[in-house]
Amino acid sequence: MKRFIFFRRFCILIILVIQVHISAESFKLSSLVPVDLTDTEDIAKTQIYVNDALLVKLPENMTYISGIEVNLKIPEEIASFSNFLAYSLYSGLKPAPSEKNTDYSGKKLSAAKFSERLTLNLYIPLSEEFSIKDNPYSEIINTESKPLGRELFIRFYATSKKVPKRILDIPIEVSARTVIINKGLLNLNIKPDTTYDKFLLGKDIPEKDFVLSIDETQYKSLKNIYLPAGKHHAVITSNTYRNEIRTFIIEAAKTTDLTILLRSIEPKLQIICPEKTEIFLDNKPIEQNKESFTITQGEHIIKLVIGDYEVVKNIIAVKGHSYIVNTNIDVSVSDED
């Protein structure tokens, strides 16, 4: 029984090895041509020949990249043999791609023939944000699994010996660029307005204390908010802070910083009075301050003493309201003639 189990496992292992070997394709290049797209705003230009491969180097930051566009200007002589010419996208190259190596093996992700057109636009989607659709002027290389790493390996080759050797010596003009998404990232920062509410100094505002809506869509997190390019409206609602509304612009493939300062809905009180006025709030002395300050909701007693002159006022403070106590001393002049 143990021998049977061992033999069965050995057979399974052999089958897996055979499958891996079959899925990998070996081939020889004339040369490997590197294309550097690490700067997303650049268009890389080069020349290739049939039986060459492009090694497209991608940026480290792929946040705004949805795919790659490769444009080939095909000479008429080469286009006349388009039925015998093809291109393929590979992954898992061995050895690692290098201009020094010409012999490779790898997994073919996709393959197609050249078109008869003199211009061939190839698109390789790299994210779900890729939005270019199939059209008569371009071909989209769809793969079941996305290429891994920061390099794309695209091979161009003849599929038949009917292609004459002179065709292999004709250069093909190539340009490549990244395809950016028509979205931008919103870097939203919600902070307390400490210039208005001194008691909020050193405090953070938990996300649970407010609700964020952008264009009438509610967001549960402030992180990784991607929005289409254009104008947007943000609304902050809260039971603890005052509601805020902001309008902002998102640019494609850029990060927009937006800071919204929240003010507490606790009642505010500002007391305006002459200097050296004694101020009492709920029978407790307070320092004279020209700026408003926070008080609790409910009834309060305010007493102002200026020499022998005393004024007492009662207010009922309500959340979301601000109150100003302004002391005016009138001087009257009379003519007694």
Side-chain angles (χ1 to χ4, degrees):
M1 185 65 180
K2 290 184 179 179
R3 290 183 179 180
F4 174 76
I5 294 174
F6 174 80
F7 178 76
R8 184 170 178 269
R9 289 179 178 175
F10 178 77
C11 291
I12 293 174
L13 180 62
I14 292 297
I15 292 172
L16 290 175
V17 171
I18 293 174
Q19 286 177 341
V20 171
H21 179 74
I22 292 175
S23 64
E25 175 184 311
S26 298
F27 52 87
K28 185 178 183 65
L29 301 177
S30 294
S31 62
L32 181 66
V33 180
V35 175
D36 192 346
L37 293 182
T38 53
D39 188 338
T40 58
E41 296 182 358
D42 284 350
I43 297 178
K45 296 183 178 181
T46 188
Q47 284 186 340
I48 63 166
Y49 296 84
V50 176
N51 289 338
D52 284 352
L54 282 178
L55 182 65
V56 183
K57 298 182 180 180
L58 303 176
E60 290 186 10
N61 185 358
M62 298 288 289
T63 301
Y64 299 115
I65 296 175
S66 66
I68 300 297
E69 176 188 353
V70 178
N71 177 272
L72 288 79
K73 293 183 178 179
I74 304 173
E76 290 186 17
E77 284 188 86
I78 294 181
S80 63
F81 288 91
S82 58
N83 288 334
F84 306 109
L85 300 172
Y87 58 87
S88 296
L89 179 67
Y90 291 85
S91 69
L93 274 298
K94 293 183 180 180
S98 167
E99 293 179 64
K100 298 180 181 179
N101 298 328
T102 56
D103 294 297
Y104 293 95
S105 66
K107 181 180 179 181
K108 184 184 292 185
L109 301 177
S110 180
K113 290 183 178 180
F114 273 44
S115 65
E116 297 181 359
R117 299 189 302 270
L118 300 181
T119 299
L120 177 60
N121 289 321
L122 303 179
Y123 289 99
I124 304 173
L126 297 177
S127 79
E128 296 178 355
E129 298 291 343
F130 186 81
S131 58
I132 296 177
K133 306 298 181 183
D134 286 316
N135 61 74
Y137 307 101
S138 64
E139 297 180 15
I140 298 176
I141 302 178
N142 290 313
T143 60
E144 294 182 1
S145 60
K146 298 176 184 176
L148 302 177
R150 289 290 180 264
E151 295 179 337
L152 300 179
F153 189 97
I154 310 171
R155 176 188 170 211
F156 302 89
Y157 54 96
T159 60
S160 171
K161 294 182 179 181
K162 294 181 180 181
V163 178
K165 290 186 177 180
R166 72 176 189 278
I167 298 298
L168 307 183
D169 296 326
I170 300 175
I172 300 173
E173 300 293 327
V174 177
S175 63
R177 68 177 183 91
T178 57
V179 180
I180 62 174
I181 63 177
N182 192 33
K183 289 184 177 182
L185 179 64
L186 175 63
N187 180 25
L188 186 58
N189 191 12
I190 307 296
K191 297 169 56 179
D193 188 350
T194 55
T195 60
Y196 187 77
D197 291 325
K198 299 296 184 183
F199 82 103
L200 292 177
L201 282 168
K203 294 184 179 180
D204 294 324
I205 299 180
E207 293 185 15
K208 64 181 179 61
D209 285 357
F210 61 87
V211 176
L212 168 66
S213 296
I214 300 177
D215 303 330
E216 299 183 355
T217 298
Q218 185 173 321
Y219 288 79
K220 294 183 178 179
S221 174
L222 303 183
K223 297 179 180 179
N224 299 325
I225 301 179
Y226 288 92
L227 298 170
K231 183 184 291 187
H232 299 274
H233 304 280
V235 178
I236 301 286
T237 56
S238 174
N239 293 324
T240 307
Y241 302 90
R242 301 190 184 205
N243 297 342
E244 299 288 344
I245 299 175
R246 297 290 186 277
T247 299
F248 59 94
I249 302 295
I250 289 291
E251 296 184 59
K254 291 185 178 180
T255 299
T256 299
D257 295 320
L258 177 62
T259 298
I260 299 180
L261 301 178
L262 299 186
R263 294 184 296 171
S264 171
I265 60 173
E266 292 299 320
K268 301 290 180 182
L269 176 62
Q270 183 180 11
I271 301 176
I272 303 174
C273 58
E275 291 184 8
K276 297 183 180 180
T277 300
E278 295 182 72
I279 305 172
F280 297 86
L281 178 63
D282 299 329
N283 296 319
K284 294 180 180 179
I286 61 174
E287 293 183 2
Q288 188 171 359
N289 188 349
K290 294 181 180 180
E291 297 181 0
S292 61
F293 56 93
T294 301
I295 59 176
T296 59
Q297 184 175 246
E299 187 174 359
H300 295 276
I301 302 173
I302 302 167
K303 184 171 70 173
L304 305 176
V305 179
I306 308 173
D308 295 332
Y309 184 74
E310 182 179 296
V311 178
V312 178
K313 291 290 183 181
N314 287 15
I315 64 169
I316 298 177
V318 179
K319 283 187 176 182
H321 288 248
S322 296
Y323 303 90
I324 299 176
V325 175
N326 195 347
T327 304
N328 294 318
I329 300 178
D330 293 329
V331 176
S332 61
V333 178
S334 60
D335 187 351
E336 298 181 353
D337 288 345

